[in-house]
Amino acid sequence: GDLARALGRRWWWPLGFAILGGALAALWAFNVPPKYRAAVVVVPSNVDTRANDERTVVTRLEDLASGDSVTEEALAVLQSREFGERFIADHNLLPRFFPDDWDARAGKWAVPEDRVPTLAQGFRHFNEDVRGLNRDKRTGLITLYIDWTDRDEAAAWANELIARVNADMRQRAI
């Protein structure tokens, strides 16, 4: 009762905090760049493919043998540092991952030589903030997703990563 009387006398406090919170949330929402998620559902060749989700691209790892150890090897390759660093280097993604350290007009790093981001730092960013991998234990489906500010690039990168792991696994089999 005392709380209700206190709030009744100072009704403008909760209203003021609500309006301030809403304004701050709106300001934050309009200033955060959009992020898009491209998801590729990977179906290992030993998984039943009857259930398809229309919202995602379903890719079959046709080059993988039916053994689960081969699927595990493909996942290990996909998550490996060497594979990720090669992808980052091939697409010159370090300037995109660290835009505050990159001078786009000059086309060079704007930080001292000892503070230039390394491929290891780029891989850490890629692994933690850009690429994700989820394996559904029940269905066996593997979802690779890319979170990025450009939806077309996110989709292209997700598809290319799957194509590259297929090529790597094909080469290993040979």
Side-chain angles (χ1 to χ4, degrees), residues 29-169:
F30 286 114
N31 286 318
V32 172
K35 277 212 171 182
Y36 300 95
R37 174 169 284 186
V40 177
V41 177
V42 180
V43 182
S45 59
N46 62 340
V47 172
D48 185 13
T49 60
R50 284 179 279 178
N52 286 337
D53 185 359
E54 295 175 0
R55 292 172 292 144
T56 57
V57 177
V58 177
T59 302
R60 184 171 184 80
L61 288 175
E62 295 174 2
D63 298 320
L64 296 182
S66 62
D68 195 50
S69 64
V70 177
T71 301
E72 293 300 325
E73 182 181 358
L75 284 174
V77 168
L78 185 61
Q79 293 175 307
S80 73
R81 182 175 175 163
E82 176 189 351
F83 185 83
E85 286 182 356
R86 199 167 2 125
F87 182 80
I88 292 166
D90 290 349
H91 288 280
N92 193 26
L93 295 178
L94 286 179
R96 311 261 325 264
F97 288 167
F98 304 100
D100 294 340
D101 298 340
W102 179 254
D103 183 356
R105 283 181 290 184
K108 62 180 185 173
W109 293 104
V111 293
E113 187 71 31
D114 61 328
R115 293 199 44 230
V116 171
T118 63
L119 272 176
Q121 291 169 320
F123 175 73
R124 189 175 314 114
H125 175 73
F126 182 67
N127 200 38
E128 294 172 3
D129 300 326
V130 178
R131 181 198 61 199
L133 207 56
N134 186 17
R135 185 171 193 175
D136 187 337
K137 298 276 187 204
R138 189 175 52 83
T139 63
L141 297 177
I142 302 160
T143 305
L144 168 76
Y145 59 87
I146 300 291
D147 292 332
W148 193 242
T149 55
D150 183 315
R151 62 181 171 209
D152 295 330
E153 277 184 324
W157 293 353
N159 288 324
E160 184 178 342
L161 284 168
I162 295 301
R164 282 183 174 214
V165 79
N166 270 335
D168 277 14
M169 295 308 295

